[in-house]
């Protein structure tokens, strides 16, 4: 599952391959499923409270079996900013969008992303990214592909995968052709095409 | 033997028409089901006169089966995706396509009048088919649906001469053109309810005004955010009989005549009982609605980003309020006022204004909810987002409100303990299920161990839907729920350490429920296969975006699991990342 801490995911994957169908109460202290959503630590505002909470949850951990806490091992690796868990808190997207919006802005910057050969679509929130390089990195991660360098002259010539998008007028464009702000407001949906498919785009 | 003969004699002595007439007074699906079980002849009579069908899971049965049993249906309700799809936990393309249903019903139910869908995918072609197949079509309700554009709506507008209700609540509509509304012919006057609040762009306002003013039975009108406030007064003047109104953005340039016009228009709305909308509120315009406040029973301010004092001023005028949806800007002070003023309150929903912030941005705590539970004797439905809670507060709420039927608490930070005692919230939620004997729906949050599930299994005998996240220690937790909750229909779980044992031990229970969702838990692929094999009347769907689960060891946990009972076998419209576990009968060929 996509989350904002790529390294974290890999780490938990390794632990997960050791999982067995054991009885609860067996000697496995840490049954860490590989796909626990990433959580940030239970940080409280006062430092004394923080240590109390941690020590109590730690002692709970040690006494109960098959712990549900993934954070204790991972405290050192946790990033300083809050990692957002998918779908938590449980608020519908249109509510989230309406909180962030000022009047006059577009309702939601979610774009569907498809890739040649992939059986399903993904959705991404363009507002979260500040530049093409950020966006392309995320796309590469999401679809496990390499996109390569963009050049004004030749587009993504030579790349195996080429990111394209459909704009408000229904035209298919190369990602990177227009300034980022313009792209954000005109992009209807994205499609990662195979290099061969994309020939002919961006030759304007 | 004599008794049987007597009963047989009685049932033969009643002509079918009489029974049919009696049955026509019975609308509830549950009661209709009971009637059909009495004897064969009642089953037959009942099925020919059943007019409303409710299908809680569109994959539990095929359209053909419904049509075969109930040939004269006039109203159908269908639900598609699992509830957690609302929070982006179900990947795109999972399913819930209504097309096969529409195609089948277009042929079989020419007299169909109502279609109500929730979390389904409907295309413009489908909308077109609806518009052209059902001559007496009256009601289209699309809740949290997607897959269609305003072109589809244009077809409905153009063709459905008898349309009464068009409700697009919270659906995702590709807004191509605001002129779809103009497709309602000038001769069309039967609109009663219109909800377009989810549309992104402005609709053709003159067309809307004409439509509203020529439909004398307009009862409900919910505009979208793009609907300008300075045009609202005129609209209201054309429909002073409105009972439910959703405004657009509640802001405009400060012009005195806009305000006075608006206030005058609202004064003319003597029947108004419900208000919603209120995006981008300019507080100085709020007094325009004061004329209707004392009669309001329903108020949705969940988009109104105004502060507590303004909220208090507004809500304080609404003594007849039964339902309030509001942002946590209302704060404890506002909830105290609510408790004091609104004695008829039945439902409260408090949404977070800053759900991803690290710290609390408002003075809203558990105390607000306690106050309302004390002051409002009819309060039975609660959705409350907050950042702190105590067992003591939950205990008080439970004892104050044993009439609670829906209790959904979301403490924003997962696994937050009782902030005073630093204990888990097991006993607090335990008090809720123990005292609220009619509790039908419960959502848990905060730090919770297996103990809370023990309480739930022991006391929550009427519970029908349970939502669990980041809770529990072991399979025992899940076992308590599955073995104890006699009326459980829907169970959705995320990020809990529940694995195979509880599921396999309670496999039979799953056939008595509508569905079970588990994501980011510890259920292994092997267990899924086993469940699928042994229980042919369940569809066990494994959702895994890492690729085919059979490429990984059987002991590997699946990402997501959706199990639902069905009599139509595995579905055929799954995307590439969903696998249905085959049952034994698949190997009998």
């Amino acid at each position: 599952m996509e989350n904002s801490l790529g390294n974290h995911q890999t780490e938990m994957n390794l632990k997960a391959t050791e999982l067995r169908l054991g009885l609860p109460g067996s000697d496995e202290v840490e049954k860490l499923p590989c796909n626990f959503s990433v959580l940030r630590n239970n940080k409280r505002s006062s430092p004394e409270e923080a240590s109390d909470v941690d020590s109590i949850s730690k002692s709970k951990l040690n006494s109960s079996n098959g712990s549900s806490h993934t954070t204790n091992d991972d405290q050192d690796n946790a990033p300083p900013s809050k990692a957002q868990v998918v779908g938590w808190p449980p608020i519908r997207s249109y509510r989230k969008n309406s909180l962030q919006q000022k009047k006059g802005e577009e309702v939601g910057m979610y774009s569907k992303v498809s890739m040649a050969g992939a059986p399903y679509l993904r959705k991404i929130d363009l507002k979260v990214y500040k530049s093409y390089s950020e966006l392309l990195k995320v796309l590469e991660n999401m679809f496990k592909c390499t996109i390569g360098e963009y050049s004004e002259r030749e587009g993504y010539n030579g790349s195996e995968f080429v990111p394209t998008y459909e704009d408000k007028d229904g035209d298919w464009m190369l990602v990177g052709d227009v300034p980022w702000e313009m792209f954000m407001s005109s992009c209807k949906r994205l499609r990662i095409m195979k290099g061969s498919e994309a020939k002919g785009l961006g030759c304007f | 033997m004599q008794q049987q003969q007597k009963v047989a004699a009685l049932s033969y002595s009643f002509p079918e028409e009489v029974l049919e007439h009696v049955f026509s007074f019975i609308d509830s699906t549950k009661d209709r089901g009971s009637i059909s079980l009495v004897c064969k002849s009642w089953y037959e009579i009942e099925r020919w006169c059943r007019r409303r069908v409710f299908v809680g899971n569109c994959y539990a049965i095929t359209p053909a089966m419904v049509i075969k049993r109930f040939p004269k249906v006039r109203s159908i309700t269908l639900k598609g995706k699992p509830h957690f799809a609302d929070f982006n936990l179900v990947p795109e393309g999972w399913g819930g396509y209504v097309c096969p249903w529409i195609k089948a019903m277009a042929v079989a139910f020419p007299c169909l009048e109502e279609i109500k869908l929730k979390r389904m995918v409907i295309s413009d072609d489908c909308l077109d088919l609806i518009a052209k197949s059902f001559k007496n079509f009256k009601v289209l309700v699309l809740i949290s649906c997607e897959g269609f554009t305003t072109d589809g709506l244009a077809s409905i507008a153009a063709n459905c001469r008898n349309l009464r209700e068009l409700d697009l609540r919270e659906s995702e509509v590709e807004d191509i053109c605001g002129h779809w509304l103009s497709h309602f012919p000038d001769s069309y006057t039967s609109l009663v309810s219109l909800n377009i609040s989810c549309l992104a762009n402005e609709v053709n306002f003159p067309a809307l005004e004409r439509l509203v003013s020529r439909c004398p039975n307009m009862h409900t009108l919910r505009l979208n955010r793009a609907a300008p406030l300075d045009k609202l007064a005129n609209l209201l003047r054309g429909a002073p009989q409105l009972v439910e109104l959703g405004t657009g953005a509640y802001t405009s340039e400060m012009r005195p005549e806009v305000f006075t016009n608006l206030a005058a228009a609202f004064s003319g709305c003597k029947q108004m009982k419900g208000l919603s909308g209120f995006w981008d509120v300019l507080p100085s315009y709020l007094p325009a609605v004061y004329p209707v406040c004392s009669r309001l029973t329903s108020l949705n301010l969940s988009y109104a980003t105004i502060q507590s004092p303004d909220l208090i001023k507004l809500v304080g005028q609404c003594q007849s309020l039964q339902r309030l949806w509001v942002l946590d800007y209302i704060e404890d002070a506002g909830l105290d006022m609510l408790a004091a003023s609104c004695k008829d309150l039945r439902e409260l929903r408090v949404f977070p204004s800053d759900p991803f912030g690290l710290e609390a941005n408002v003075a809203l705590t558990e105390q607000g909810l306690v106050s309302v539970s004390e002051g409002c004797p009819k309060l039975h439905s609660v959705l409350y987002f907050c950042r702190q809670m105590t067992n003591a507060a939950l205990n008080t709420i439970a004892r104050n409100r044993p009439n609670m039927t829906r209790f959904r608490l979301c403490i924003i930070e997962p696994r937050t303990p009782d902030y005073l005692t630093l204990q888990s919230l097991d006993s607090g939620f335990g008090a809720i299920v123990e005292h609220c004997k009619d509790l039908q729906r419960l959502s848990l949050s905060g730090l919770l161990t297996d103990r809370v599930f023990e309480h739930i299994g022991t006391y929550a005998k009427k519970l029908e839907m349970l939502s669990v996240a980041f809770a529990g220690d072991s399979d025992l937790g899940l076992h308590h729920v599955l073995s104890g909750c006699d009326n459980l229909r829907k169970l959705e779980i995320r990020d809990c350490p529940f694995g195979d044992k509880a599921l396999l031990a309670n496999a039979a229970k799953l056939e008595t429920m509508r569905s079970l969702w588990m994501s980011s838990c510890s259920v292994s692929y092997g267990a899924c296969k086993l469940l699928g094999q042994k229980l042919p009347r369940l569809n066990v769907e494994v959702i895994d975006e890492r690729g085919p689960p059979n490429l990984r060891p059987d002991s590997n946990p699946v990402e997501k699991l959706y199990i639902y009972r069905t009599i139509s076998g595995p579905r055929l419209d799954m995307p590439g990342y969903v696998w249905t576990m085959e049952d034994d009968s698949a190997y009998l060929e």
Side-chain angles (χ1 to χ4, degrees), chain B residues 36-54:
Chain B
S36 65
L37 292 174
V38 167
C39 63
K40 271 200 182 133
S41 62
W42 280 38
Y43 177 94
E44 276 302 305
I45 297 167
E46 192 281 318
R47 77 183 189 88
W48 279 93
C49 67
R50 173 106 48 131
R51 296 281 175 260
R52 305 180 156 274
V53 173
F54 172 84

Side-chain angles (χ1 to χ4, degrees), chain A residues 67-84:
Chain A
S67 85
S68 59
H69 292 258
T70 60
T71 54
N72 285 297
D73 275 357
D74 307 322
Q75 268 170 23
D76 298 327
N77 302 327
S81 61
K82 185 179 171 86
Q84 277 186 30

Side-chain angles (χ1 to χ4, degrees), chain B residues 30-85:
Chain B
K30 211 166 158 217
D31 290 340
R32 280 273 176 163
S34 304
I35 290 175
S36 65
L37 292 174
V38 167
C39 63
K40 271 200 182 133
S41 62
W42 280 38
Y43 177 94
E44 276 302 305
I45 297 167
E46 192 281 318
R47 77 183 189 88
W48 279 93
C49 67
R50 173 106 48 131
R51 296 281 175 260
R52 305 180 156 274
V53 173
F54 172 84
V55 181
N57 174 4
C58 63
Y59 292 119
I61 192 169
T62 64
M65 286 167 166
V66 174
I67 291 167
K68 183 165 181 218
R69 181 167 170 192
F70 304 116
K72 299 274 180 194
V73 164
R74 300 259 172 93
S75 164
I76 187 155
T77 304
L78 291 163
K79 294 189 178 182
K81 298 184 210 172
H83 174 237
F84 273 177

Side-chain angles (χ1 to χ4, degrees), chain B residues 438-471:
Chain B
D438 292 323
L439 197 68
Q440 283 173 359
R441 185 167 179 185
L442 178 64
S443 298
L444 306 172
S445 58
L447 183 65
L448 297 165
T449 73
D450 284 347
R451 230 46 253 278
V452 74
F453 299 109
E454 195 183 333
H455 296 318
I456 292 173
T458 306
Y459 293 109
K461 294 304 182 186
K462 299 272 180 70
L463 193 67
E464 296 181 9
M465 182 167 178
L466 178 65
S467 308
V468 186
F470 307 106

Side-chain angles (χ1 to χ4, degrees), chain B residues 242-545:
Chain B
L242 274 178
V243 177
E244 307 265 338
L245 172 72
T247 72
Y250 202 78
T251 183
S252 126
E253 288 165 13
M254 279 302 293
R255 279 180 288 142
E257 72 272 16
V258 172
F259 179 86
T260 36
N261 277 345
L262 201 52
F266 273 113
S267 303
C269 296
K270 305 288 185 202
Q271 324 272 15
M272 194 151 289
K273 290 238 162 65
L275 279 180
S276 61
F278 295 109
W279 289 274
D280 314 307
V281 176
L282 203 56
S284 46
Y285 275 160
L286 278 175
V289 306
Y290 285 179
V292 301
C293 280
S294 62
R295 285 184 298 267
L296 284 183
T297 57
S298 171
L299 184 54
N300 181 351
L301 294 169
S302 60
Y303 301 109
T305 49
I306 50 176
Q307 302 302 316
S308 190
D310 295 311
L311 282 168
I312 289 177
K313 256 190 268 171
L314 179 59
V315 177
Q317 312 235 353
C318 307
Q319 299 91 354
S320 311
L321 216 52
Q322 294 179 13
R323 183 199 305 159
L324 176 66
W325 291 22
V326 72
L327 286 169
D328 56 10
Y329 287 128
I330 193 159
E331 300 190 324
D332 288 346
L335 292 175
D336 286 340
M337 180 280 309
L338 186 68
S341 316
C342 304
K343 294 304 183 184
D344 211 17
L345 194 71
R346 299 164 198 215
E347 178 183 328
L348 174 67
R349 295 195 193 190
V350 178
F351 295 94
S353 54
D354 186 18
F356 304 114
L358 295 178
E359 306 284 331
N361 61 322
V362 291
L364 179 108
T365 69
E366 76 282 7
Q367 193 45 51
L369 187 55
V370 171
S371 294
V372 183
S373 76
E374 263 158 15
C376 303
K378 297 195 190 156
L379 183 73
H380 69 86
S381 174
V382 168
L383 170 64
Y384 199 75
F385 282 82
C386 61
R387 287 173 190 272
Q388 63 182 54
M389 186 52 59
T390 63
N391 285 308
L394 284 171
N395 213 300
T396 306
I397 292 165
R399 281 165 205 278
N400 284 340
R401 295 273 63 77
N403 54 324
M404 192 74 71
T405 58
R406 306 166 89 76
F407 190 74
R408 294 192 278 166
L409 180 68
C410 180
I411 304 166
I412 289 177
E413 184 63 35
R415 305 206 185 97
T416 303
D418 176 323
Y419 74 93
L420 289 178
T421 65
L422 301 178
Q423 303 282 320
S424 73
L425 291 172
D426 295 342
S427 67
F429 279 105
I432 295 279
V433 292
E434 188 183 341
H435 294 280
C436 307
K437 302 203 192 298
D438 292 323
L439 197 68
Q440 283 173 359
R441 185 167 179 185
L442 178 64
S443 298
L444 306 172
S445 58
L447 183 65
L448 297 165
T449 73
D450 284 347
R451 230 46 253 278
V452 74
F453 299 109
E454 195 183 333
H455 296 318
I456 292 173
T458 306
Y459 293 109
K461 294 304 182 186
K462 299 272 180 70
L463 193 67
E464 296 181 9
M465 182 167 178
L466 178 65
S467 308
V468 186
F470 307 106
D473 310 308
S474 75
D475 269 73
L476 209 49
L478 181 57
H479 174 70
H480 285 309
V481 172
L482 289 177
S483 57
C485 295
D486 300 330
N487 280 295
L488 195 64
R489 291 189 298 118
K490 291 179 277 183
L491 179 58
E492 45 185 27
I493 301 173
R494 62 163 297 175
D495 293 90
C496 296
F498 299 147
D500 301 341
K501 284 217 72 138
L503 264 190
L504 294 174
N506 292 284
K509 171 75 174 177
L510 298 175
E511 278 186 354
T512 70
M513 293 165 53
R514 183 188 297 173
S515 65
L516 166 67
W517 168 279
M518 291 179 76
S519 56
S520 304
C521 297
S522 320
V523 181
S524 72
Y525 178 55
C528 294
K529 281 196 290 187
L530 198 55
L531 278 172
Q533 263 170 24
K534 295 304 169 197
L535 296 162
R537 283 178 309 194
L538 290 184
N539 274 355
V540 178
E541 290 188 11
V542 169
I543 299 170
D544 210 314
E545 291 179 275

Side-chain angles (χ1 to χ4, degrees), chain A residues 1 19 21 23-24 33-37 39-42 44 52-53 56 60 65-66 68-69 82 84-96 98-99 101 103 112 119-123 188, chain B residues 86-87 92 144 170 172 174 225 251 302-303 325 351-353 355-356 358 385 410 412-417 422 469-470 472-474 494-495 497 500-501 520-522 545-546 555 557-560 577:
Chain A
M1 263 190 352
L19 195 64
L21 275 177
L23 292 165
C34 68
N35 50 3
F36 255 15
S37 307
L39 273 189
R40 126 192 141 79
N41 299 313
N42 235 335
R44 311 228 82 110
D52 281 347
V53 169
I56 284 190
K60 261 191 166 354
N65 44 49
S68 59
H69 292 258
K82 185 179 171 86
Q84 277 186 30
V85 177
V86 175
W88 192 268
I91 315 170
R92 311 274 318 268
S93 347
Y94 66 82
R95 276 198 188 281
K96 278 189 262 183
S98 81
L99 288 176
Q101 295 248 330
K103 184 188 161 208
K112 291 188 179 173
Y120 47 87
L121 302 178
R122 301 302 301 269
K123 239 188 197 162
K188 268 174 60 181
Chain B
D86 285 356
F87 315 125
E92 290 279 318
S144 305
E170 296 161 21
E172 230 178 270
E174 199 178 321
R225 190 175 189 165
T251 183
S302 60
Y303 301 109
W325 291 22
F351 295 94
S353 54
F356 304 114
L358 295 178
F385 282 82
C410 180
I412 289 177
E413 184 63 35
R415 305 206 185 97
T416 303
L422 301 178
F470 307 106
D473 310 308
S474 75
R494 62 163 297 175
D495 293 90
D500 301 341
K501 284 217 72 138
S520 304
C521 297
S522 320
E545 291 179 275
R546 295 170 298 171
S555 55
V558 300
E559 270 181 0
K560 301 173 186 180
Y577 53 82

Side-chain angles (χ1 to χ4, degrees), chain A residues 134-194:
Chain A
E134 264 186 51
L135 172 64
L136 292 179
K137 238 193 211 90
V138 167
L139 291 178
E140 281 181 330
N141 263 332
M142 215 183 240
F143 289 96
K144 314 267 183 286
C145 63
T146 348
I147 288 179
E149 291 290 311
Y150 171 81
S151 84
E152 227 180 277
R153 260 276 207 88
E154 302 190 339
Y156 291 90
N157 230 345
S159 297
E160 196 191 340
F161 291 103
V162 176
T164 66
Y165 71 100
E166 185 183 4
D167 73 3
K168 278 208 171 109
D169 302 322
D171 298 319
W172 282 92
M173 313 277 290
L174 265 192
V175 168
D177 274 347
V178 303
W180 175 253
E181 300 296 332
M182 193 187 293
F183 164 73
M184 276 230 293
S185 57
S186 61
C187 172
K188 268 174 60 181
R189 56 184 162 136
L190 287 140
R191 182 168 170 78
I192 303 180
M193 299 191 186
K194 284 252 163 69

